[in-house]
């Protein structure tokens, strides 16, 4: 019994500490289309094997909603993750700063260590979108 109490406390902390937001597919499309082009960015590597470089979108702020329906403006940063669920109930997790909207598809990287490994999801198949800070220690570096 005493071993399960710390486990319940730890799981409760995880659930409470991760703020989750939603965004409609129309809003995501509009916000991505308003940013043009991409830029090369460099982030720290939490594994201490040197920094990582990749192409990121030019989205600075993204407007999202919390579970009560209140609007929030999140600063786009390397630790923000987006989970897209399709009508077929498939889940795709990517990094928000890698998302681009191109030819009725949303594309994004699912790995920091292999940025060319990405998903391409047809816009019409998207059912729901959730955004949260994954808590990973990624941060942009000064070049």
């Amino acid at each position: 019994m005493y071993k399960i109490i710390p486990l319940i406390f730890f799981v409760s902390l995880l659930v409470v500490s991760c703020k989750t937001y939603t965004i409609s597919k129309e809003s995501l499309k509009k916000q991505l289309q308003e940013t043009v082009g991409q830029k090369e960015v460099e982030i720290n590597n939490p594994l201490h094997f040197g920094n990582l470089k990749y192409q990121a979108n030019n989205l600075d702020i993204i407007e999202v909603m919390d579970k009560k329906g209140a609007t929030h403006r999140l600063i786009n940063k390397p630790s923000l993750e987006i989970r897209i669920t399709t009508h077929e109930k498939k889940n795709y997790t990517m990094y928000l700063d890698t998302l681009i909207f191109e030819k009725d598809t949303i594309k994004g990287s699912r790995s920091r260590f292999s940025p060319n490994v990405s998903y391409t999801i047809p816009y019409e198949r998207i059912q729901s979108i959730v955004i949260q800070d994954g808590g990973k220690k990624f941060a942009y570096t000064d070049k």
Side-chain angles (χ1 to χ4, degrees), residues 19-99:
K19 273 261 196 205
T20 302
Y21 302 94
T22 60
I23 185 170
S24 70
K25 70 181 193 177
E26 296 82 12
S27 179
L28 179 63
K29 177 182 175 180
K30 180 181 180 230
Q31 291 181 64
L32 286 175
Q33 286 179 324
E34 289 173 353
T35 62
V36 179
Q38 292 181 293
K39 60 187 173 192
E40 183 175 273
V41 294
E42 187 174 315
I43 61 171
N44 67 311
N45 183 343
L47 300 177
H48 305 291
F49 295 120
N51 292 338
L52 305 169
K53 292 181 183 180
Y54 61 93
Q55 293 293 311
N57 58 41
N58 284 310
L59 185 68
D60 293 323
I61 304 277
I62 188 158
E63 289 191 10
V64 294
M65 293 176 53
D66 65 19
K67 60 184 171 186
K68 294 181 181 178
T71 302
H72 296 269
R73 294 170 53 93
L74 301 179
I75 296 172
N76 191 4
K77 57 185 180 177
S79 60
L80 283 183
E81 297 173 350
I82 187 164
R83 186 174 58 251
I84 296 177
T85 303
T86 64
H87 292 293
E88 299 82 21
K89 304 296 182 212
K90 287 188 173 184
N91 290 313
Y92 299 90
T93 303
M94 298 168 276
Y95 289 100
L96 179 65
D97 67 347
T98 67
L99 286 187

Side-chain angles (χ1 to χ4, degrees), residues 25 44 56 69 120 142-143:
K25 70 181 193 177
N44 67 311
T120 301
D142 295 327
K143 289 186 178 183

Side-chain angles (χ1 to χ4, degrees), residues 85-137:
T85 303
T86 64
H87 292 293
E88 299 82 21
K89 304 296 182 212
K90 287 188 173 184
N91 290 313
Y92 299 90
T93 303
M94 298 168 276
Y95 289 100
L96 179 65
D97 67 347
T98 67
L99 286 187
I100 58 169
F101 185 83
E102 183 179 271
K103 297 182 184 175
D104 287 334
T105 60
I106 291 187
K107 298 178 181 181
S109 178
R110 61 184 183 162
S111 172
R112 290 286 182 219
F113 304 103
S114 298
N116 294 331
V117 178
S118 63
Y119 290 122
T120 301
I121 305 165
Y123 177 75
E124 74 274 353
R125 288 183 40 213
I126 296 173
Q127 178 180 340
S128 64
I129 304 170
V130 175
I131 297 176
Q132 72 180 32
D133 191 334
K136 296 182 176 111
K137 303 293 183 199

